[in-house]
Amino acid sequence: MGYAATIASKRYVFSDLRTLLARASPLRSGDQLAGLAAASAVERMAARLALADLPLRHFLDEAVIPYEADEVTRLIVDTHDGAAFASVAHLTVGEFREWLLDDATDTAALAHVAPGLTPEMVAAVSKLMRQQDLISVARKCRVITGFRDTIGLPGRLAVRLQPNHPTDDPRGIAASLLDGLLYGCGDAVIGVNPAGDSVPAIMDLLRRLDEVRERFEIPTQTCVLTHVTTTLQAIERGAPVDLVFQSIAGTEAANRGFGIHLALLAEAQAAALELNRGTVGRNVMYFETGQGSALSSQAHQGVDQQTCEARAYAVARHFQPLIANTVVGFIGPEYLFDGKQIIRAGLEDHFCGKLLGVPLGCDVCYTNHAEADQDDMDALLTLLGTAGVTFIMGVPGADDVMLNYQSTSFHDALYLRGLLGLRPAPEFEAWLAQVGITATSGALQGLPPQIAAALEDLTGGRP
Amino acid sequence: MSRGLRPDPWTVLRRLTPARVALGRAGHSLPTQEILQFGVAHAQARDAVHAPLHVATLAANLAPLGQPVLTVVSSAPDRPTYLMRPDLGRRLDPASAQHLDQQRPGPHDLLFVIGDGLSALAVARHAVPLLTHFHLARPPEWRIGPLVIASQCRVALGDEIGERLGAPMVAVLIGERPGLSSPDSLGIYLTRHPRVGRLDAERNCLSNIRPEGLPYVEAARRLAWLCQAAIQLDATGIALKDGSIDPAHLAPPNAAAGA
């Protein structure tokens, strides 16, 4: 079936749902690269007019990628909760936007409807929303998870401590790790992107991170962000794995490009749960996503990159992650060209993830070949803070010396927490005060003796 | 030191990592000197992305290696298009394709493509010394094809170049995505039996080649090893992954995506 809208007596026709969604999407370079973007600003608005009138129910009848051809579609369809959907089943996409923004639609109502929403519904409504809408609604969503601390509580902002080193040098990693802890970061996870991927090297990193966590009795979790199959091998060989990491995407083909499928994720989740290492919760998965990842492996199947991204969140929520984040500006200008596109995408991703029930954080970031700079990151960081983002990254000086991109810094976390009165995860906050990194006011107070001792061990006591 | 600056009393950590640790702070933000240093590094990386490859200079510097030098351009006519349309950077422009089709290179074992990628600076600085070291590291019986300089080049452009020149193997030397601390990092992508449509999983990569990263001698040694292994296996890519390479110098998968 087709969709149509008329503007100034010109009729615009869209042949199917995926085309309608693509043409309605805000302009971005990745959709242009894929040949999916609207050809003109007016065509884009015509698509939005047609989309606004589409009943939400219709999304249950027309898949953007066929059920038979894609296990992500099958997951979305087979796990759809009809009873949860009932409260919005009578709405069009345009009316759904108004329902979401309605003061009467509170946190509980949004949590109730989440299992009844498909990623395509959520992507569709986001295309009709301004940035302030994306912020207002996301702020009402509440997704709370736990492992050794509790992530996602109101008034809290967690930080992933990302102490990467170009050659995985253990002392180099430890240096960035201590720097981050001393800035109050690390409650979301202490997570290293390794330069290598051999199982023994990964196991060594896992053990070292676990030793630091145990030495200081930090109520947080550690992770080495390697392929799920490598982590599974590390678990089999007895490594201390808290969280299983994996990059995921919104189509079966793109996931195949990552070397994964849903059964593999389920196997990894079961293996990590078996270890039973969590204390306050049992959320053992950590996912990363990002608009453009499906297109970059030619696996987007004619679906726009923002809708593909929302489908990745359907994959994520099925495995009850502790945390998930979009790496919004990492992939490069051929997908998100400049600061404007990166900022919009970051807010869309956060909104879509939260509405679907995923504990979404954001790697607010850019590469040096994108038309973006620190000012753009400050804007997105601040907007996401107001939207209630679950966590951000903490990279020394915002400069990741292993992955060669700019993310957010320990200082950025300090800024956002200070500006908006946000606090770390409660268990971690208590630890910071107990060790003496923070005063009772929550303010940083320098170098406590316990950490100073570790510093001496690390550097051989030499100044 | 101004009243507003609070240094971190753990600057000793800076000896252990190139990361920007123990920067100190002014309120919640960075000291002015750190803001400026970051700005300088970003400016250098930006300039590296947009700097053109000086083809004539590079060709002159390659001449002492004694191989014929060919120059080609991709279908991306300028830098903005190159950045927005990676597909165009993976194909030759028609004139360059025709130019290669007219060549009759003798039989050879390995073809080198030297492409600007995302940092012409990396290629200008490191291509010649790397090739010089490779000449010493490789078995002397290997026949090397013409050296092809490619402008507005993505990694996969080597597939079309190799296919048109009938190369059994192509090594693409290419400027990597500049990082703040590394505006001039060179990568090498090795592909057995290059032809249009090869997947990234069918290549092997050496990354971060520069004096502060993977030194020329070591990069040349590993490239020679990879070439030998590729000839034995008659394949590159996932099949060739093996423990004899220090994984620390294999590129993380995502970093290669933009190349």
Side-chain angles (χ1 to χ4, degrees):
Chain A
M1 96 173 236
Y3 308 88
T6 302
I7 294 178
S9 73
K10 183 166 161 64
R11 188 173 153 83
Y12 295 85
V13 180
F14 308 96
S15 59
D16 52 21
L17 182 58
R18 65 177 186 171
T19 306
L20 181 68
L21 288 168
R23 302 294 191 269
S25 214
L27 178 67
R28 61 205 48 188
S29 49
D31 291 335
Q32 292 179 302
L33 179 63
L36 295 173
S40 70
V42 175
E43 189 195 13
R44 178 169 298 109
M45 283 315 302
R48 289 181 189 168
L49 294 180
L51 187 59
D53 287 341
L54 194 65
L56 280 184
R57 270 187 194 289
H58 179 77
F59 287 81
L60 302 178
D61 298 331
E62 185 181 354
V64 294
I65 304 173
Y67 183 91
E68 301 72 25
D70 186 287
E71 68 168 356
V72 177
T73 301
R74 291 198 288 278
L75 175 74
I76 293 165
V77 171
D78 295 348
T79 61
H80 183 253
D81 184 337
F85 180 61
S87 56
V88 293
H90 58 293
L91 302 176
T92 63
V93 177
E95 291 164 347
F96 182 43
R97 173 182 169 276
E98 291 159 356
W99 182 87
L100 290 169
L101 288 162
D102 189 342
D103 292 335
T105 304
D106 59 10
T107 300
L110 291 170
H112 175 77
V113 80
L117 299 177
T118 68
E120 290 84 357
M121 293 175 192
V122 170
V125 75
S126 81
K127 295 174 196 295
L128 306 183
M129 295 169 85
R130 283 170 46 189
Q131 293 188 165
Q132 64 167 263
D133 301 344
L134 299 171
I135 292 168
S136 297
V137 177
R139 191 181 171 83
K140 290 197 282 186
C141 296
R142 184 80 43 228
V143 184
I144 298 168
T145 58
F147 191 77
R148 285 196 195 92
D149 57 0
T150 311
I151 306 293
L153 292 167
R156 308 278 174 171
L157 172 74
V159 182
R160 168 185 162 197
L161 209 173
Q162 184 170 312
N164 295 344
H165 184 276
T167 58
D168 294 339
D169 177 70
R171 296 206 311 160
I173 289 172
S176 291
L177 201 167
L178 289 177
D179 195 43
L181 289 176
L182 287 163
Y183 271 78
C185 298
D187 46 348
V189 64
I190 298 171
V192 175
N193 297 88
D197 62 358
S198 82
V199 178
I202 297 296
M203 291 180 66
D204 184 56
L205 273 177
L206 282 164
R207 287 202 189 97
R208 288 174 188 271
L209 291 177
D210 198 49
E211 277 166 21
V212 174
R213 183 192 61 75
E214 291 216 307
R215 170 173 179 176
F216 299 114
E217 299 177 310
I218 314 172
T220 189
Q221 33 287 327
T222 62
C223 186
V224 176
L225 284 74
T226 187
H227 194 267
V228 60
T229 51
T230 310
T231 302
L232 267 170
Q233 287 182 57
I235 290 175
E236 274 166 28
R237 299 190 201 175
V241 172
D242 290 343
L243 303 182
V244 176
F245 169 81
Q246 183 55 47
S247 292
I248 56 170
T251 73
E252 180 180 335
N255 283 330
R256 204 182 309 127
F258 283 137
I260 60 159
H261 48 92
L262 298 179
L264 181 61
L265 295 177
E267 183 190 340
Q269 184 188 21
L273 280 171
E274 185 90 0
L275 299 179
N276 203 22
R277 292 172 58 84
T279 51
V280 305
R282 287 172 60 77
N283 300 103
V284 295
M285 303 300 280
Y286 173 14
F287 295 120
E288 280 191 346
T289 64
Q291 290 191 27
S293 61
L295 175 60
S296 73
S297 59
Q298 292 298 313
H300 59 294
Q301 323 250 35
V303 179
D304 70 88
Q305 67 182 36
Q306 192 254 331
T307 303
C308 278
E309 175 72 6
R311 285 168 57 97
Y313 304 146
V315 174
R317 77 171 164 180
H318 186 65
F319 298 100
Q320 302 96 35
L322 179 76
I323 45 173
N325 65 267
T326 171
V327 194
V328 69
F330 185 78
I331 194 161
E334 60 269 41
Y335 302 96
L336 294 168
F337 182 67
D338 57 12
K340 181 179 172 69
Q341 293 188 5
I342 292 171
I343 290 167
R344 169 81 199 183
L347 293 171
E348 286 168 350
D349 293 351
H350 179 248
F351 161 82
C352 290
K354 284 287 175 68
L355 191 53
L356 287 168
V358 178
L360 211 82
C362 184
D363 190 342
V364 174
C365 66
Y366 66 108
T367 61
N368 290 313
H369 60 318
E371 292 294 321
D373 60 21
Q374 291 301 108
D375 286 339
D376 298 305
M377 298 304 105
D378 288 344
L380 178 55
L381 175 72
T382 308
L383 293 172
L384 281 169
T386 63
V389 70
T390 302
F391 71 105
I392 58 170
M393 305 297 137
V395 177
D399 172 13
D400 190 308
V401 293
M402 204 289 280
L403 292 171
N404 280 346
Y405 76 122
Q406 284 90 257
S407 180
T408 46
S409 64
F410 306 141
H411 294 74
D412 290 330
L414 200 60
Y415 151 77
L416 200 59
R417 282 173 171 168
L419 181 77
L420 300 175
L422 301 169
R423 295 151 59 193
E427 301 86 351
F428 192 83
E429 183 182 39
W431 175 81
L432 288 172
Q434 181 204 323
V435 173
I437 292 173
T438 54
T440 41
S441 64
L444 295 180
Q445 56 175 12
L447 182 62
Q450 202 185 342
I451 308 279
L455 226 66
E456 272 198 37
D457 294 351
L458 192 60
T459 56
R462 283 164 292 139
Chain B
M1 189 190 306
S2 78
R3 197 172 59 87
L5 178 65
R6 299 172 67 101
D8 291 328
W10 51 88
T11 49
V12 61
L13 292 178
R14 287 192 203 160
R15 285 201 278 114
L16 303 179
T17 175
R20 292 168 198 255
V21 296
L23 299 181
R25 59 192 174 92
H28 293 151
S29 190
L30 290 166
T32 303
Q33 276 310 314
E34 295 299 338
I35 289 273
L36 293 172
Q37 288 309 312
F38 188 100
V40 168
H42 185 234
Q44 287 172 329
R46 292 289 291 159
D47 284 354
V49 167
H50 290 276
L53 179 64
H54 294 291
V55 174
T57 308
L58 180 59
N61 292 339
L62 288 169
L65 294 170
Q67 304 291 336
V69 175
L70 304 172
T71 63
V72 298
V73 296
S74 79
S75 295
D78 53 42
R79 209 60 179 162
T81 312
Y82 173 82
L83 292 174
M84 289 273 278
R85 293 287 305 272
D87 54 326
L88 296 181
R90 297 183 188 119
R91 294 306 300 265
L92 290 167
D93 89 329
S96 289
Q98 203 180 6
H99 176 56
L100 290 190
D101 288 346
Q102 290 160 354
Q103 305 297 317
R104 291 284 175 269
H108 54 275
D109 303 295
L110 177 62
L111 180 76
F112 280 102
V113 172
I114 302 141
D116 48 4
L118 287 166
S119 173
L121 188 62
V123 172
R125 283 187 183 163
H126 308 315
V128 172
L130 186 279
L131 287 170
T132 306
H133 281 89
F134 179 76
H135 183 69
L136 301 171
R138 70 180 173 90
E141 67 272 18
W142 283 0
R143 295 159 302 177
I144 307 297
L147 305 172
V148 184
I149 301 175
S151 299
Q152 311 294 5
C153 173
R154 298 268 172 183
V155 170
L157 191 67
D159 295 340
E160 183 175 358
I161 295 169
E163 187 175 0
R164 289 186 186 273
L165 292 176
M169 187 152 67
V170 64
V172 179
L173 278 54
I174 193 162
E176 298 185 319
R177 198 172 76 181
L180 278 198
S181 314
S182 54
D184 64 339
S185 189
L186 186 79
I188 303 180
Y189 291 80
L190 186 70
T191 309
R192 184 69 169 161
H193 301 305
R195 59 169 179 264
V196 173
R198 281 279 184 217
L199 304 174
D200 287 341
E202 296 173 301
R203 315 183 199 287
N204 292 93
C205 172
L206 294 170
S207 181
N208 194 26
I209 298 164
R210 58 194 177 104
E212 306 81 7
L214 180 60
Y216 303 136
V217 175
E218 184 61 9
R221 188 189 67 78
R222 287 184 193 171
L223 179 61
W225 183 89
L226 275 176
C227 289
Q228 216 141 19
I231 290 168
Q232 276 166 18
L233 262 177
D234 201 27
T236 45
I238 292 164
L240 207 157
K241 267 190 193 168
D242 126 343
S244 55
I245 310 168
D246 179 352
H249 292 287
L250 289 173
N254 282 330

